[in-house]
């Protein structure tokens, strides 16, 4: 826990990448911890050249894991989003992709003993108080990252990590519909603000002058669009009870369009205004939740299959999630959410933070 080096495991979790730490290996004081993490990842710097960050919000993430004091959980997982070009560390959200690596990391660090050929780890999501279970292969008492499961946005295949979520509704805002309405109007644009694991502002792509089928590179070059996205999310943040979100990565904004590759919904997501190359797990769950609301913006563009499994199209492929709602209640009740991800250990050792202040 000094500048001489910190024990760290770098892992790919889903379509994200991050540094995983035991809480006991980091300073207990949040300000000291955040200062250390900025120096470990190399922020603020657009290239994060002097740290292990990957110069993108999707690869500038941290998981802090510890044994849980909650008898219903095995481990506690605190997610921290480290900004790339600002000295900011945020704990305002969960991350379902980085979550995919938490169970294997807990076994690797001896927090959880493997149980046969497959191990299930109960995880408390410290950021929001929710919970999840992660199930993954542990033949011979060791985590096996090899497997035949492919996920869009990640080359090759790996072992499946099955994630089941509970208590997702109102994860950050306290309500599935944090504004109290299915539809709000911001800057003349109809939006649906939903929080089923991730606060998300959903709008029709065509209402913002795009098709919703652009690549993330094309969207990144549309400065006028990004300015409108920022205006939407800043105002939505206030309406959702999040206050001033100008320095936060939530709420995320997802533009929707009719699917064109066999899915239920086509999406383009921004974090906070940088186009996502795919879509986050919890963001996809919230987007599907919006599509299930009979009068919501996303419902008008969705092609909903029977059952609870939904294929969400994004810039680099597809993401399947399972979502169940009880629409007979007001607001609707989130009953269940699940997803299949993969994870892989990239390195395990000691990371050396740069000296001085970020």
């Amino acid at each position: 826990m000094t500048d001489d080096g910190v024990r760290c495991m770098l892992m790919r979790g889903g379509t994200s990448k991050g540094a995983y730490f035991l809480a006991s290996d980091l300073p207990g004081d949040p300000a000291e911890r955040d200062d250390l993490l900025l120096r470990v990842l190399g922020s603020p710097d657009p290239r994060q050249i002097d740290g292990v960050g990957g110069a993108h919000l999707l690869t500038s993430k941290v998981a802090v894991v510890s044994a849980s004091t909650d008898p219903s959980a095995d481990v506690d997982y605190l997610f921290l989003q480290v900004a790339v070009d600002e000295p900011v560390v945020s704990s305002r959200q969960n991350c379902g992709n980085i979550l995919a690596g938490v169970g294997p990391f807990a076994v690797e660090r001896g927090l959880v003993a493997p149980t046969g050929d497959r191990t299930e780890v109960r995880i408390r999501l410290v950021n929001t108080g929710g919970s999840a279970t992660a199930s993954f292969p542990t033949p011979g008492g060791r985590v096996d990252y090899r497997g035949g499961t492919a996920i869009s946005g990640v080359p090759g295949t790996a072992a499946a990590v099955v994630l089941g979520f509970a208590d997702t509704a109102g994860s950050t805002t306290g309500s599935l519909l944090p504004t109290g309405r299915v539809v709000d109007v911001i800057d003349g644009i109809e939006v649906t603000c939903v929080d089923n694991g991730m606060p998300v502002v959903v709008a029709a792509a065509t209402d913002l002058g795009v098709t919703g089928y652009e690549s993330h590179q094309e969207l990144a070059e549309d400065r006028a669009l990004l300015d409108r996205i920022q205006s939407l999310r800043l105002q939505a943040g206030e309406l959702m009870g999040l206050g001033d979100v100008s320095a936060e990565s939530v709420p995320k904004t997802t533009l929707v369009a009719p699917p064109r590759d066999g899915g239920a919904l086509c999406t383009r997501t921004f974090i906070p205004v940088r186009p996502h190359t795919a879509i986050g797990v919890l963001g996809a769950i919230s987007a599907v939740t919006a599509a299930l609301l009979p009068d919501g913006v996303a419902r008008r563009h969705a092609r909903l299959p029977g059952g609870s499994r939904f294929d969400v199209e994004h810039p680099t492929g597809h993401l399947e999630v399972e979502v169940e709602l009880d629409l007979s209640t007001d607001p609707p009740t989130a009953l269940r959410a699940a997803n299949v991800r993969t994870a892989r250990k990239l390195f395990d050792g000691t990371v050396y933070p740069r000296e001085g202040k970020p």
Side-chain angles (χ1 to χ4, degrees):
M1 202 171 71
T2 72
D3 286 0
D4 293 332
V6 185
R7 193 181 186 197
C8 173
M9 184 180 292
L10 189 69
M11 300 187 75
R12 177 188 61 76
T15 54
S16 293
K17 184 165 61 176
Y20 290 65
F21 298 91
L22 289 175
S24 57
D25 288 332
L26 295 173
D29 177 72
E32 293 182 19
R33 177 201 66 206
D34 292 352
D35 170 79
L36 175 64
L37 293 176
L38 287 166
R39 291 185 286 120
V40 165
L41 270 73
S43 296
D45 173 54
R47 295 184 298 160
Q48 290 182 320
I49 195 66
D50 207 24
V52 298
H56 193 286
L57 286 173
L58 296 180
T59 54
S60 186
K61 299 185 174 187
V62 169
V64 182
V65 183
S66 60
S68 182
T69 57
D70 185 337
S72 66
D74 299 308
V75 297
D76 287 347
Y77 156 52
L78 173 67
F79 170 70
L80 298 172
Q81 178 69 66
V82 179
V84 175
D85 51 5
E86 297 179 278
V88 174
V89 179
S90 174
S91 61
R92 293 285 297 273
Q93 67 182 82
N94 286 320
C95 179
N97 276 303
I98 292 298
L99 172 65
V102 170
F105 176 78
V107 171
E108 295 263 17
R109 285 289 188 263
L111 297 178
V112 176
T115 54
D117 287 342
R118 198 162 186 90
T119 296
E120 184 173 285
V121 177
R122 302 170 302 165
I123 303 166
R124 186 170 75 94
L125 310 178
V126 175
N127 301 71
T128 60
S131 60
T133 58
S135 175
F136 49 94
T138 51
R142 299 183 64 182
V143 179
D144 189 353
Y145 298 97
R146 299 167 299 175
T149 299
I151 60 174
S152 295
V154 177
T157 63
V161 179
V162 180
L163 299 173
F165 298 94
D167 307 316
T168 51
S171 63
T172 301
T173 63
S175 175
L176 187 76
L177 297 176
T179 72
R181 296 172 293 276
V182 175
V183 175
D184 290 278
V185 178
I186 302 175
D187 290 342
I189 304 295
E190 288 191 337
V191 302
T192 294
C193 299
V194 65
D195 179 5
N196 195 14
M198 179 70 67
V200 176
V201 185
V202 178
T206 51
D207 286 347
L208 281 94
V210 294
T211 66
Y213 307 120
E214 292 84 358
S215 69
H216 56 280
Q217 296 97 332
E218 290 172 322
L219 295 172
E221 294 169 358
D222 191 338
R223 189 65 254 174
L225 172 67
L226 301 185
D227 289 342
R228 296 185 74 186
I229 293 291
Q230 178 71 332
S231 179
L232 277 181
R233 70 172 220 96
L234 290 178
Q235 295 177 69
E238 296 284 354
L239 291 175
M240 297 169 81
L242 296 171
D244 180 4
V245 297
S246 56
E248 303 290 343
S249 57
V250 291
K252 296 186 170 33
T253 305
T254 293
L255 305 185
V256 297
R260 64 175 186 178
D261 192 29
L265 188 68
C266 185
T267 63
R268 295 296 185 265
T269 297
F270 300 78
I271 49 170
V273 295
R274 191 169 182 175
H276 199 317
T277 56
I279 187 171
V281 173
L282 295 168
I285 289 170
S286 283
V288 166
T289 299
L292 291 173
L293 301 173
D295 299 318
V297 173
R299 182 64 168 265
R300 307 166 195 172
H301 303 273
R303 295 175 188 158
L304 300 179
S308 61
R309 179 170 291 183
F310 303 88
D311 180 335
V312 180
E313 299 177 9
H314 57 73
T316 54
H318 297 251
L319 172 63
E320 284 195 352
V321 296
E322 295 185 9
V323 181
E324 291 184 30
L325 296 183
D326 181 354
L327 295 173
S328 69
T329 63
D330 186 17
T333 302
L335 300 177
R336 176 177 171 272
N339 174 248
V340 175
R341 297 274 82 189
T342 66
R344 194 170 78 83
K345 177 172 63 173
L346 303 179
F347 79 67
D348 187 8
T350 303
V351 65
Y352 295 89
R354 69 165 182 260
E355 295 182 358
K357 290 290 183 181

